[in-house]
Amino acid sequence: MPPDSPPLDNTYRVETPEGIDLVLRPAGLVPRVLAFALDLVIRLALLATLGLGLASLGQFGMGAGALLMFVVQWWYMVLFEVLSDGRTPGKHWLGLKVIHDDGTPVGWASSLTRNLLRFVDMLPFGYFLGAICCLWHPSFKRLGDLAAGTMVVYREPVGTKALLPNVDPVAPPFPLELYEQRALISFAERQASLSPARREELAGILASPLQTTPELAEAQLHGIARGLVGPA
């Protein structure tokens, strides 16, 4: 395979400020359509239920119904995405969520932008333009996502305990600040998600302070992390 060929798996990698590779799984067209369909059913049911109650209020009810339709149509998605960790009810049931391209939670401006541009994705009918864009983009982005700098990814399972390498504890050669201890433990916990070259590169940065060689720095860092956490 040529070196410039795209990866065969559907993943998106983001490097955090700590130098850790965060692997995300973009959601394709089918789960996104299903999530949107579920949200559409919820919105229609909500409008129908409240509309029945407002119908008996005459002209006031008609005005309130028009306002309600606007709020549900344009703010349902935004409120849930921002206040519920990027998840509308439909996305929650499908195991999806909206995030920024750098992996951070979606904000008000980005969510509003991606949802206001749905009317462009709907052109010329039935989300045709949005579906074509989603199928064309390697991370399955529609036009609203491209403009807002967002993407829809699968939500990773929670509650999985990260495991440190099973090595003998090593005492650090010098006192460590709290943030340094956290960084070392985080590096050891995420070592399985990093390539060997990336682990060696990150560990080699600390080879000189640790008074060791770049080749042995990774093993020493794992030992120090084990000493900080305690026996397995």
Side-chain angles (χ1 to χ4, degrees):
M1 178 181 296
D4 294 333
S5 298
L8 296 178
D9 57 345
N10 181 28
T11 58
Y12 181 86
R13 293 181 178 272
V14 176
E15 184 175 346
T16 66
E18 295 81 12
I20 302 299
D21 289 333
L22 181 62
V23 181
L24 305 172
R25 294 188 299 141
L29 178 62
V30 173
R32 293 185 63 170
V33 169
L34 293 176
F36 180 80
L38 288 172
D39 285 318
L40 181 60
V41 170
I42 293 174
R43 282 183 289 173
L44 291 176
L46 180 62
L47 288 173
T49 302
L50 296 178
L52 291 175
L54 294 173
S56 61
L57 300 180
Q59 293 185 345
F60 174 79
M62 295 178 58
L67 179 61
L68 176 65
M69 182 177 297
F70 171 81
V71 172
V72 172
Q73 176 66 25
W74 294 108
W75 285 96
Y76 170 93
M77 294 287 195
V78 176
L79 291 175
F80 272 111
E81 288 178 358
V82 177
L83 300 179
S84 187
D85 191 29
R87 299 169 297 173
T88 61
K91 290 184 177 68
H92 176 76
W93 289 331
L94 269 295
L96 311 176
K97 70 175 182 178
V98 182
I99 59 173
H100 287 129
D101 288 342
D102 59 1
T104 56
V106 67
W108 289 102
S110 299
S111 180
L112 187 59
T113 299
R114 71 184 303 273
N115 283 290
L116 286 177
L117 286 179
R118 286 186 184 276
F119 75 91
V120 179
D121 287 306
M122 293 178 182
L123 297 175
F125 58 86
Y127 270 95
F128 178 81
L129 189 58
I132 294 298
C133 183
C134 188
L135 292 173
W136 165 80
H137 196 277
S139 295
F140 308 115
K141 290 190 173 192
R142 59 177 178 84
L143 296 176
D145 290 313
L146 292 173
T150 58
M151 61 191 308
V152 179
V153 299
Y154 285 98
R155 193 171 68 252
E156 294 300 325
V158 297
T160 302
K161 182 179 180 181
L163 299 178
L164 271 67
N166 189 17
V167 297
D168 295 330
V170 175
F174 49 83
L176 297 174
E177 299 289 342
L178 180 59
Y179 74 92
E180 294 174 326
Q181 297 179 27
R182 289 175 175 170
L184 290 181
I185 294 173
S186 178
F187 172 76
E189 288 178 339
R190 301 189 183 189
Q191 53 87 28
S193 65
L194 302 175
S195 65
R198 183 58 170 159
R199 294 199 305 268
E200 183 177 347
E201 177 188 3
L202 293 173
I205 298 174
L206 297 178
S208 179
L210 293 175
Q211 301 176 1
T212 187
T213 62
E215 294 76 16
L216 299 178
E218 181 183 349
Q220 186 167 350
L221 289 175
H222 291 333
I224 294 174
R226 172 56 64 189
L228 294 172
V229 173

